[in-house]
């Protein structure tokens, strides 16, 4: 993989301050291309749509999230390529760093080019048809590169559109976003931000489940040993009551002998 594919990604991050993957580690190749969608609560809430292609994740920021309604054309802003091991990232990017905020692994799975296209040629052409096989997103989709950007746009804009198939939902396409739990850990964004619940199960890198309280770029404080409450002094036992004095028994009478 050419080193310059991740140059823009690395230039935006200070890896002395954030522990996001630098791309030096390359996950083992899989028999099928992988995709992930990460819900990212940064300065603006959005969904990061990532497709594995030629050794990296081609990536787009989808402000409103994907829709299953073919009538909905979601703006997808192309961002820098990301390393493949980013596909296991669920946690917190420290505040003040690029993209600082909470990240959830919202969906993941496999994809293939649709219609027999060569994926590299389709991406270069700007008419990128794919079929997804995820836990939430399935069926045909297309990414269409817009010919003209809006004034002031510094990035390339695309449209993410659902193809009409058995997975399409007319008029109710955004309802898929109500499935608002991580596919890797079952947690909500609030759970992830609090470091509670179980850690994310890896997908790109086989290995142990990640820490639920992982804050990328800083180590959590060591847990303090629980302090035992001092033992209360023993309660004084009540004094035994003296037994009541018994009245003396009357003297026994002796029978008198007859005179």
């Amino acid at each position: 993989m050419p080193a310059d594919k991740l140059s823009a990604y690395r230039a935006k991050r200070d890896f002395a301050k954030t522990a996001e993957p630098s791309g030096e580690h390359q996950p083992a190749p899989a028999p099928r291309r992988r995709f992930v969608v990460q819900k990212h609560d940064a300065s603006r809430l959005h969904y990061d749509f990532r497709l594995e292609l030629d050794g990296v994740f081609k990536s787009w920021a989808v402000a409103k999230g994907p829709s299953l309604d073919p009538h909905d054309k979601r703006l997808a802003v192309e961002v820098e390529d990301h390393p493949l091991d980013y596909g296991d990232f669920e946690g917190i990017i420290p505040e003040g760093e690029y993209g600082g905020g909470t990240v959830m692994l919202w969906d993941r799975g496999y994809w293939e080019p649709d219609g027999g296209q060569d994926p590299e040629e389709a991406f270069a052409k700007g008419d990128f048809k794919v079929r997804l096989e995820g836990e939430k997103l399935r069926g045909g989709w297309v990414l269409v590169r817009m010919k003209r950007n809006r004034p002031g746009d510094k990035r390339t804009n695309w449209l993410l559109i659902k193809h009409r198939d058995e997975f399409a939902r007319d008029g109710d396409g955004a309802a898929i976003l109500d499935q608002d739990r991580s596919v890797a850990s079952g947690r909500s964004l609030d759970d992830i931000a609090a470091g509670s619940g179980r850690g994310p199960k890896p997908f790109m890198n086989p290995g142990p489940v990640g820490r639920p309280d992982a804050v990328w770029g800083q180590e959590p404080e060591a847990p303090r040993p629980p302090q035992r409450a001092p033992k209360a002094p023993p309660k004084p036992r009540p004094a035994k009551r003296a037994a009541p004095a018994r009245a003396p028994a009357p003297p026994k009478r002796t029978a008198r002998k007859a005179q």
Side-chain angles (χ1 to χ4, degrees), residues 193-258:
S196 61
R198 66 181 183 180
K201 185 178 179 180
F203 175 59
M204 306 297 295
N205 297 293
V209 172
R211 284 205 332 256
D213 60 345
V215 178
W216 288 59
Q218 66 187 56
E219 290 296 324
E221 293 182 4
R224 296 179 179 178
Q227 295 182 352
R228 295 183 179 179
K231 291 183 178 180
K235 294 182 179 180
R237 294 183 180 179
K240 291 184 178 180
R241 293 182 179 180
R246 293 183 180 180
K252 292 182 180 181
R253 294 181 178 180
T254 56
R256 297 182 177 179
K257 293 182 180 181

Side-chain angles (χ1 to χ4, degrees), residues 37-55:
V37 180
Q38 288 160 312
K39 186 174 181 179
H40 190 175
D41 188 12
S43 55
R44 293 183 179 180
L45 182 67
H46 63 277
Y47 291 75
D48 292 313
F49 185 77
R50 310 192 194 281
L51 298 173
E52 178 181 0
L53 185 63
D54 199 17

Side-chain angles (χ1 to χ4, degrees), residues 33-38 48-50 57 86-90 104-111 132-138 181-186 198-205 209:
R33 294 183 179 94
R34 295 155 287 193
F35 84 92
V36 298
V37 180
Q38 288 160 312
D48 292 313
F49 185 77
R50 310 192 194 281
F57 272 128
Y86 210 94
D88 281 339
F89 175 26
E90 177 171 284
M104 171 203 290
L105 283 163
W106 184 80
D107 196 18
R108 61 189 181 185
Y110 300 94
W111 74 275
L132 303 180
E133 188 178 322
E135 297 188 35
K136 297 175 183 176
L137 303 182
R138 302 179 70 84
R181 292 279 172 171
S182 164
V183 296
S185 66
R198 66 181 183 180
K201 185 178 179 180
F203 175 59
M204 306 297 295
N205 297 293
V209 172

Side-chain angles (χ1 to χ4, degrees), residues 106-122:
W106 184 80
D107 196 18
R108 61 189 181 185
Y110 300 94
W111 74 275
E112 60 186 22
D114 199 8
Q117 290 181 312
D118 177 87
E120 284 83 2
E121 290 181 4

Side-chain angles (χ1 to χ4, degrees), residues 12 52 68 79 110 116 119 178 180 195 203 210 220 250 254 258:
K12 293 176 182 291
E52 178 181 0
L68 302 186
V79 298
Y110 300 94
D178 293 337
D180 199 24
F203 175 59
T254 56

Side-chain angles (χ1 to χ4, degrees), residues 11 15 22 51 72 96 118 120 128 162 165 167 193 199 235-236 242:
F15 295 104
S22 66
L51 298 173
D72 292 337
D118 177 87
E120 284 83 2
F128 196 9
K162 179 75 184 74
D165 55 23
F167 302 106
K235 294 182 179 180

